[in-house]
Amino acid sequence: MPMNALPVRFEGDPLTIDLHMHSTASDGALAPDALVALCQERGLSHMALTDHDTMDGVAAARAAAAETGLCVLPATELSTQWRGINIHVVGLLPDGARGDLVAGLAAQAEARERRSRKIAERMEKVGLDDALARAREQAGSDRPLGRPDFARALVAAGLVPDMGRAFAKYLGNGKPGDIKALWPYLSEAVAWILDAGGVAVLAHPLRHGLTRRKRGLLLDDFRAAGGQAAELVSGFQNPDVTRDLARQLQERELLASVGSDFHFPGGHLAPGTMSPVPRTAVAPVWTHPRLAACLGQPAPAA
């Protein structure tokens, strides 16, 4: 699928926007200030930093963007469980973390520590000696570990040829390193976001290998829990499937978000680079009243 030369836009919308990216505060390769610089270089007007189960990089990102004209929306990507599947929910949080979300993020950090130890135990059983230390070495810092760190450790140890194979064999849904029991239920995480005055967005709903019917059930449960939007486009997608997802969102009166899910430079994705948004009646998430102050208007010129 061809890469867009410029950040993607909704038809007729002036914003150049990416609402799903990661920094070194979780499993991204760039520090928050370096990510902001890259987003500015890429011509973005608005971005959200959505590190996994943390908002530790948001202050640094906003400070770096203060004089650039780039709007940085505080956000996080929460890990949850739904019917035995690991589901991520992005919280777009114009007022930052407050209310139940503060305790929720603390609980997520503790859960990540417990989870990393359990994943390490399972990876040692499949041949990755001293797995926790090896994953920590790959992380390069004391931040909470995630499955990509273990995937890189498996590659470095020569147990798999690449990260894709690491997930397919050891770390993806239903594999030995897929630990979900420690995550809150989908509805609980959505409640944390709403309590903080944020907008709950279902992350990359096309990436779970769900049938159309089961994806509809996920969207139904998410909407019933108070979720307001889903990522219509996340990275590169089949255009026919994207149009079908747009129909599912419209049927449920969910808003549409977009994001690259950027993690590191040099890959096939860059900030703001993703498949085109199809012609659709679904409104973009930045039209939600809670986001109007930051995302309702284009950022001023630097």
Side-chain angles (χ1 to χ4, degrees):
M1 188 174 294
M3 179 184 292
N4 293 331
L6 294 174
V8 70
R9 306 177 185 220
F10 272 69
E11 184 177 358
D13 198 298
L15 303 188
T16 49
I17 195 163
D18 191 328
L19 298 180
H20 192 146
M21 287 183 283
H22 298 275
S23 76
T24 51
S26 64
D27 59 347
L30 297 180
D33 58 344
L35 178 58
V36 166
L38 180 58
C39 289
Q40 185 182 20
E41 178 184 322
R42 291 279 302 157
L44 291 180
S45 62
H46 296 69
M47 65 169 283
L49 182 59
T50 59
D51 280 312
H52 293 285
D53 301 305
T54 183
M55 298 183 70
D56 287 352
V58 170
R62 299 195 88 183
E67 297 182 3
T68 68
L70 176 65
C71 173
V72 176
L73 177 65
T76 186
E77 183 177 11
L78 296 175
S79 304
T80 80
Q81 54 176 317
W82 174 82
R83 302 193 184 193
I85 301 172
N86 185 6
I87 298 294
H88 290 176
V89 178
V90 167
L92 301 177
L93 301 154
D95 298 320
R98 61 180 187 175
D100 292 341
L101 180 61
V102 176
L105 288 172
Q108 292 291 82
E110 293 175 4
R112 277 195 169 268
E113 286 298 323
R114 297 195 303 273
R115 176 177 178 256
S116 64
R117 291 193 292 271
K118 288 181 177 290
I119 294 175
E121 291 172 4
R122 295 192 180 185
M123 292 302 97
E124 289 180 356
K125 290 179 180 179
V126 300
L128 183 64
D129 295 334
D130 204 10
L132 194 62
R134 285 173 180 255
R136 176 61 62 200
E137 182 180 0
Q138 292 298 320
S141 71
D142 60 356
R143 62 165 173 77
L145 296 174
R147 286 181 295 172
D149 300 310
F150 288 95
R152 284 187 284 267
L154 288 165
V155 174
L159 294 175
V160 289
D162 52 49
M163 289 185 63
R165 185 59 180 162
F167 273 87
K169 190 172 183 180
Y170 297 118
L171 294 160
N173 276 330
K175 303 304 178 182
D178 179 30
I179 308 294
K180 295 182 284 284
L182 299 175
W183 299 135
Y185 288 111
L186 177 72
S187 57
E188 184 178 3
V190 170
W192 294 345
I193 294 167
L194 299 183
D195 190 62
V199 174
V201 181
L202 187 67
H204 40 68
L206 296 178
R207 291 196 200 167
H208 305 297
L210 303 177
T211 63
R212 187 182 195 277
R213 176 183 173 279
K214 195 162 186 180
R215 186 169 67 241
L217 293 175
L218 170 59
L219 291 168
D220 287 339
D221 287 353
F222 179 71
R223 183 73 176 85
Q228 301 114 311
E231 288 179 353
L232 176 59
V233 175
S234 175
F236 291 144
Q237 300 175 179
N238 178 288
D240 292 334
V241 178
T242 304
R243 284 190 287 270
D244 187 51
L245 176 60
R247 287 190 287 270
Q248 288 187 301
L249 299 189
Q250 185 175 3
E251 289 166 358
R252 293 161 177 83
E253 298 183 335
L254 289 167
L255 301 174
S257 188
V258 294
S260 63
D261 201 1
F262 173 77
H263 281 77
F264 57 90
H268 64 289
L269 291 172
T273 301
M274 60 198 84
S275 292
V277 177
R279 184 185 298 273
T280 176
V282 179
V285 70
W286 46 91
T287 62
H288 192 286
R290 292 183 183 175
L291 303 181
C294 181
L295 300 182
Q297 298 294 328

